Amino acid sequence: MLHEAEMMQSHASMLGFLVGSDYWPDDQATEIYLDALKAMDWPNPIIASASKRGYPEALGPSGMKMDGPYDWVPPNYWYNNKEGAASGFGSELGAGVGTPEMGSLKKFMSDDDLETLWKEPDADQYHMSRYDSQFYDRRIYNEALFARYGKPSSLEDYILKSQMADYEATRSQFEAYATQQNATRPATGLIYWMLNSAWPNLHWQLFDYYLSPMAAYFGTKVGARMEHVAYDYESHKIWLINHSLEKNGNRQIKVDFIDSNGKELSQATVESNTSPHSSKVVASLDGIKKAKDIGFLRLTLSDPESEDVLSRNVYWLSPTMDVLDWSESDWYTTPVTKFAKYTKLETLKPATLKASLHSLESSTDDGLTHAEVVIENKSAGPAVFIRLNALDALEGAEIAPLYWSDNYVTLWPKEQLRLTVAFEGDIQHTVIEITGRNVEKVTLKL
């Protein structure tokens, strides 16, 4: 313990030190730990364990919970007050997502493996967890995916549906915890399970072994914005979120809800004051039952004074909700007895995109190439779940790591959106590929 404490001396980012993980040390071990940390002038909190199962007398309760989940749960799971849902501090929890994109999958899976991935939903998967683990297959995940998004028609279709499911899973987790930050029973934080993997993996990651981000990453990025506006899947309320320590003042929230053809189902504009480190309800979604099969909700947060858009966020919503059986919860998931239906996504009318690529000057000396992509939906209906990817034109390989301002975006009819990207490489030898749920692939060069 003396050695551990000495190694930590120079790490200013340490928030605390846990002397136990799932369980806590006995009194004898606790005394040894505390004496060593005190001798090394450890200044930060010392925490008994990451769970609420017990604690040594000298330390008291940790204030953390370790109730899961680790496998798939629907977005509305997080807006409840049971298990790992948004209250307290969740020390390790997530919906078991993190499916790599096709470019990465083909690097570590054979053609036969890839066939099995989408054709045999209950098959064991070497690139998950150990053979004796609860997480050696994608059964729970695939049952939900097939029921909610439809049985996949190809490997490409399976990966696209997986990305949509992963995006909504991570976004809702971070948004739900953010909405409850100043609640009566507050959500004080979470540690997401998990950031990345030490080997090529099919789950539990926000970026993969090859440093390529997937939809789970961008769902997290949106859900954790400094100032944000979020949709509560359970109550249909709209939340204004402020994670900052100093930002305040008037904010404008636009709520736009359309059907799959682009027809307006409801629209509202709300103004409200925001204050640091707080969240509050500012509106409710009208018209959710007007959507016959699926609807698209766009939430836009802006500063009326500067006219800056602080957050833009699009959901695909079903008039039927996922129904959870909380009484059958275990340590890794909560069963779903009825699934939301997003199968209309399979038959959306095609949308046409117009896009352009422009080089940008960097405002910082980061050594990266910076560019802007402008995409415009020329159609009368939405252009859904658009992914942008960058490739080295000389080698044909995906560029990684790379840093998009946003990705996997959905455009309203006639809407234009500007996205930026930064990466190592020559913009002259870079190709941007744009794909989506209902758009033909677009390829851009400078």
Side-chain angles (χ1 to χ4, degrees):
M1 193 66 250
L2 286 165
H3 179 64
E4 286 285 338
E6 184 176 18
M7 286 198 303
M8 292 188 296
Q9 286 279 8
S10 60
H11 290 272
S13 62
M14 293 278 189
L15 299 179
F17 188 81
L18 280 76
V19 292
S21 175
D22 297 30
Y23 295 93
W24 60 99
D26 62 23
D27 290 337
Q28 182 184 7
T30 299
E31 184 179 356
I32 294 169
Y33 291 149
L34 294 180
D35 287 348
L37 286 162
K38 182 179 179 182
M40 298 301 294
D41 296 321
W42 177 252
N44 296 331
I46 303 168
I47 302 164
S49 77
S51 70
K52 58 182 180 182
R53 298 183 178 104
Y55 52 87
E57 198 65 36
L59 289 175
S62 69
M64 292 182 168
K65 65 179 183 180
M66 189 188 282
D67 298 328
Y70 300 89
D71 212 326
W72 187 85
V73 290
N76 61 321
Y77 170 98
W78 304 103
Y79 287 93
N80 283 274
N81 59 4
K82 305 177 181 69
E83 303 295 334
S87 66
F89 190 100
S91 60
E92 52 174 51
L93 64 173
V97 300
T99 311
E101 280 283 3
M102 189 71 76
S104 292
L105 287 174
K106 288 185 174 180
K107 292 178 182 178
F108 69 90
M109 297 183 76
S110 68
D111 290 343
D112 287 344
D113 290 338
L114 292 171
E115 284 283 291
T116 300
L117 184 63
W118 71 277
K119 287 184 176 178
E120 300 179 34
D122 295 343
D124 292 340
Q125 294 289 347
Y126 176 76
H127 287 277
M128 294 282 285
S129 297
R130 269 174 56 109
Y131 64 89
D132 57 354
S133 166
Q134 180 62 49
F135 310 104
Y136 192 47
D137 57 55
R138 289 167 72 91
R139 293 169 190 260
I140 294 172
Y141 179 91
N142 283 335
E143 180 190 7
L145 187 76
F146 286 36
R148 297 167 93 242
Y149 286 92
K151 186 177 179 180
S153 59
S154 65
L155 174 62
E156 290 75 13
D157 188 43
Y158 177 80
I159 299 305
L160 177 58
K161 288 171 176 174
S162 295
Q163 299 303 326
M164 296 192 79
D166 292 6
Y167 185 97
E168 60 170 356
T170 55
R171 177 177 60 180
S172 61
Q173 178 178 349
F174 282 88
E175 287 181 341
Y177 266 78
T179 65
Q180 302 303 304
Q181 62 182 324
N182 59 308
T184 304
R185 187 178 178 220
T188 55
L190 66 99
I191 300 174
Y192 181 73
W193 184 273
M194 302 180 72
L195 176 68
N196 64 321
S197 295
W199 72 313
N201 208 335
L202 290 171
H203 69 157
W204 289 349
Q205 57 197 350
L206 299 182
F207 56 91
D208 65 30
Y209 180 74
Y210 310 101
L211 304 184
S212 293
M214 63 278 284
Y217 171 89
F218 289 98
T220 299
K221 183 173 182 175
V222 167
R225 282 176 177 153
M226 183 74 75
E227 289 192 73
H228 190 47
V229 58
Y231 172 71
D232 182 334
Y233 283 84
E234 190 72 8
S235 68
H236 311 304
K237 293 176 180 176
I238 310 297
W239 288 83
L240 176 61
I241 298 165
N242 187 337
H243 284 302
S244 78
L245 297 178
E246 74 288 332
K247 297 180 185 295
N248 56 53
N250 193 35
R251 298 291 184 266
Q252 184 181 81
I253 302 100
K254 289 186 176 180
V255 182
D256 298 296
F257 191 49
I258 61 174
D259 67 12
S260 58
N261 295 316
K263 179 185 175 183
E264 184 180 286
L265 299 176
S266 66
Q267 192 278 334
T269 300
V270 180
E271 293 209 4
S272 181
N273 281 317
T274 189
S275 55
H277 194 57
S278 66
S279 301
K280 64 179 180 179
V281 174
V282 291
S284 293
L285 174 61
D286 294 325
I288 183 67
K289 294 299 181 183
K290 293 180 183 177
K292 293 180 181 179
D293 35 43
I294 198 167
F296 296 93
L297 171 65
R298 181 180 62 185
L299 302 178
T300 311
L301 176 66
S302 58
D303 182 338
E305 187 173 329
S306 66
E307 298 186 351
D308 291 338
V309 174
L310 305 175
S311 178
R312 179 191 175 280
N313 196 11
V314 175
Y315 303 79
W316 45 98
L317 301 175
S318 167
T320 59
M321 289 175 58
D322 296 288
V323 178
L324 292 131
D325 185 357
W326 292 99
S327 65
E328 293 297 316
S329 297
D330 52 36
W331 63 272
Y332 56 88
T333 194
T334 295
V336 176
T337 58
K338 182 181 179 182
F339 293 101
K341 290 290 183 184
Y342 297 139
T343 49
K344 177 63 180 177
L345 291 167
E346 298 183 293
T347 56
L348 291 173
K349 292 180 180 178
T352 301
L353 291 182
K354 179 183 177 183
S356 58
L357 173 65
H358 313 277
S359 183
L360 289 179
E361 291 292 328
S362 174
S363 57
T364 59
D365 186 21
D366 56 12
L368 299 176
T369 295
H370 291 253
E372 178 186 68
V373 178
V374 181
I375 52 176
E376 183 179 358
N377 178 13
K378 305 295 287 185
S379 307
V384 177
F385 206 62
I386 298 161
R387 181 201 178 207
L388 295 90
N389 192 27
L391 297 91
D392 184 318
L394 300 179
E395 298 181 6
E398 293 186 353
I399 297 172
L402 76 172
Y403 310 97
W404 289 99
S405 58
D406 200 0
N407 211 333
Y408 298 91
V409 295
T410 295
L411 266 63
W412 248 229
K414 311 301 181 183
E415 184 181 20
Q416 185 183 93
L417 199 59
R418 296 176 180 271
L419 304 174
T420 61
V421 65
F423 58 92
E424 287 187 7
D426 186 345
I427 188 68
Q428 298 292 343
H429 300 147
T430 301
V431 172
I432 302 295
E433 283 188 351
I434 304 174
T435 55
R437 174 71 269 187
N438 64 331
V439 300
E440 292 289 331
K441 183 165 77 172
V442 176
T443 302
L444 299 177
K445 294 191 74 172
L446 193 65

